[in-house]
Amino acid sequence: GFLVMRLIYSPGRAPEPRLIHFASGVRSERARAVLADSITLTAGTITVSAENGDFLVHALDKSMAEGIEDSEFARRLRQWEE
């Protein structure tokens, strides 16, 4: 909430939206759903598509997209699947 409001209302700085496509490496449907939900619950990001482990994510600003392709949470989900 607050992060998104600060970005939108910051004078002199316009958001720089991004679409990020990446292969998550997560195999199970359950883990993919958890990853998609966790991305959507993160301020300024939403999972647009999650098919066969490939994700398309919209980020309100490029700063919110940094590192999303190989997040710690996705690594933990892959470890959990092993």
Side-chain angles (χ1 to χ4, degrees), residues 45-75:
T45 60
I46 187 165
T47 303
V48 177
S49 174
E51 296 183 25
N52 300 318
D54 292 334
F55 281 66
L56 180 62
V57 175
H58 178 270
L60 189 58
D61 188 68
K62 66 180 182 178
S63 64
M64 296 172 175
E66 292 175 4
I68 203 165
E69 300 93 340
D70 192 35
S71 69
E72 176 66 27
F73 191 65
R75 283 193 291 270

Side-chain angles (χ1 to χ4, degrees), residues 19-36:
L19 278 174
I20 302 97
H21 181 264
F22 66 96
S24 69
V26 178
R27 295 184 307 263
S28 72
E29 288 297 319
R30 173 182 269 170
R32 289 176 188 163
V34 169
L35 181 58

